[in-house]
Amino acid sequence: MNKLVLALLTIGLLAGCGSKKNKSGKDDFTFEDFRHLFAEAKLPYKLMPEELANKKSDTAGISPEVLKQFLTDTLGKSDFPEGATIKFYPVAAVDGAAVNYFVVKAVGKTATTAYICFLDKKGHYLNRLPAGKVADKSDVFYFSIDTRQVIKVTNERELEPGHRSTREDFFGVSDNGSTTLIMTNTTGDPGAGQLFNPIDTLKAAHKLSGDYVSGENSLVSVRDGDDPKSFQFFISFSNKTGCKGELSGTGHFTGANKGEYKDKETDCGIAFQFAAGRVSIKEIGGCGAYRGVRCFFEGSYAKKKAK
């Protein structure tokens, strides 16, 4: 009889342990379980409109109970019509220096929105930032987080066939999850062709330093480095299909008219070839974190005359 009682108790304990992994949120669903719902990603991170627009998901949805337990039950309420049915999907978890980023996709009947949820290192929810949205192809939002943990939210809007405007908002994130708008860059409106250049005011005494352009919306800016063997650069381009890319960093001269950049965080690399008032760039590594999927860092740019 005692053996039968002991066996029943053992079965009960095993059943109780098995219920811990219930993803309904009604049992002991831990933060580790919650994090495992998300794909692990590293900085730099980018969520493109194509991925956001795909309403099919390779992962199971996040239940309302789990959403409330680890994030907030108000996620999406201010961005979707009252009473709308919203399904939430885990996209990616990215570790930052002060906060961690959990990307959640909210799918409604007429629109899909991406949220960056900020959690502290103990897994406590702090804040959220709506950073992506796809309702129709003429007006889309998407975002990227660079290695400095600056969030860039890009809005591309079709003004008329063949003419699009772009607005880029750059945000910093504090330890408590609050966000600060650092700067805004716009192109395609009446001021088309006036790209924001973050290194514009830096020293440009080297013979190869200067601004190289291709059309109204593509720029390779080169400035002096900390020593004669290095240079700073900023690249921003947009091709005829609307595919865009942006990258900045420090390169090193490998010859009298050659230079090279290698990203420390990814496999991305750029080769620079200077000749006769021009610079040609070529992608020598995978730079998908800094550009669209249908274009590359490549092409020839003509040097502008110094003012």
Side-chain angles (χ1 to χ4, degrees):
M1 182 68 178
N2 291 336
K3 290 183 178 180
L4 177 61
V5 172
L6 182 61
L8 291 172
L9 286 173
T10 302
I11 293 172
L13 287 172
L14 290 173
C17 291
S19 68
K20 184 177 180 180
K21 298 298 182 181
N22 190 333
K23 296 184 180 181
S24 69
K26 295 180 181 179
D27 294 314
D28 297 330
F29 194 64
T30 68
F31 178 73
E32 287 73 19
D33 298 329
F34 174 69
R35 175 152 188 153
H36 287 156
L37 298 177
F38 294 76
E40 292 290 338
K42 295 182 179 181
L43 297 175
Y45 176 79
K46 190 171 189 177
L47 183 68
M48 295 301 294
E50 295 86 353
E51 182 179 355
L52 186 57
N54 182 12
K55 292 189 177 183
K56 295 181 180 180
S57 178
D58 295 331
T59 60
I62 305 175
S63 70
E65 293 86 357
V66 169
L67 197 71
K68 181 178 180 180
Q69 182 180 356
F70 296 105
L71 299 178
T72 173
D73 59 356
T74 63
L75 193 68
K77 288 190 175 180
S78 61
D79 302 296
F80 289 86
E82 185 176 354
T85 300
I86 311 169
K87 294 183 179 180
F88 296 92
Y89 296 94
V91 178
V94 186
D95 288 338
V99 300
N100 293 335
Y101 310 91
F102 284 71
V103 182
V104 177
K105 181 164 66 173
V107 179
K109 185 177 180 180
T110 59
T112 300
T113 299
Y115 296 93
I116 307 174
C117 297
F118 310 116
L119 280 72
D120 66 18
K121 292 300 180 177
K122 295 182 179 180
H124 300 133
Y125 173 78
L126 300 172
N127 195 11
R128 67 171 180 262
L129 177 69
K133 184 176 182 180
V134 175
D136 59 72
K137 294 182 179 180
S138 64
D139 191 10
V140 298
F141 290 79
Y142 56 95
F143 74 90
S144 62
I145 310 174
D146 66 18
T147 54
R148 297 167 297 176
Q149 298 175 68
V150 174
I151 300 172
K152 180 176 71 172
V153 179
T154 303
N155 173 215
E156 293 185 0
R157 178 176 299 175
E158 186 176 30
L159 302 177
E160 58 186 43
H163 185 201
R164 302 181 69 88
S165 68
T166 301
R167 176 188 173 99
E168 297 171 334
D169 291 320
F170 296 81
F171 296 89
V173 183
S174 64
D175 294 359
N176 64 3
S178 61
T179 59
T180 302
L181 180 62
I182 301 172
M183 66 180 183
T184 296
N185 178 31
T186 59
T187 63
D189 289 326
Q194 298 180 357
L195 290 174
F196 175 78
N197 182 359
I199 66 172
D200 183 50
T201 59
L202 299 185
K203 187 178 179 181
H206 193 281
K207 66 177 183 178
L208 299 178
S209 293
D211 293 332
Y212 300 78
V213 297
S214 177
E216 289 186 335
N217 296 314
S218 297
L219 167 74
V220 176
S221 184
V222 179
R223 295 294 185 268
D224 298 358
D226 294 332
D227 57 71
K229 296 182 179 180
S230 66
F231 61 93
Q232 299 183 67
F233 72 90
F234 170 72
I235 303 173
S236 180
F237 73 86
S238 175
N239 66 17
K240 293 180 180 180
T241 66
C243 193
K244 301 175 184 294
E246 190 171 289
L247 177 63
S248 62
T250 299
H252 293 84
F253 289 111
T254 57
N257 296 303
K258 294 181 179 181
E260 188 174 284
Y261 164 75
K262 291 184 178 180
D263 190 15
K264 295 180 180 179
E265 304 294 335
T266 69
D267 294 330
C268 179
I270 304 291
F272 296 79
Q273 177 68 60
F274 300 89
R278 304 186 70 88
V279 63
S280 296
I281 59 171
K282 182 179 180 181
E283 193 171 313
I284 55 176
C287 299
Y290 304 104
R291 54 162 173 77
V293 296
R294 297 184 178 89
C295 51
F296 299 91
F297 289 96
E298 61 184 7
S300 180
Y301 295 73
K303 190 173 185 179
K304 292 174 64 176
K305 292 184 179 180
K307 296 180 179 179

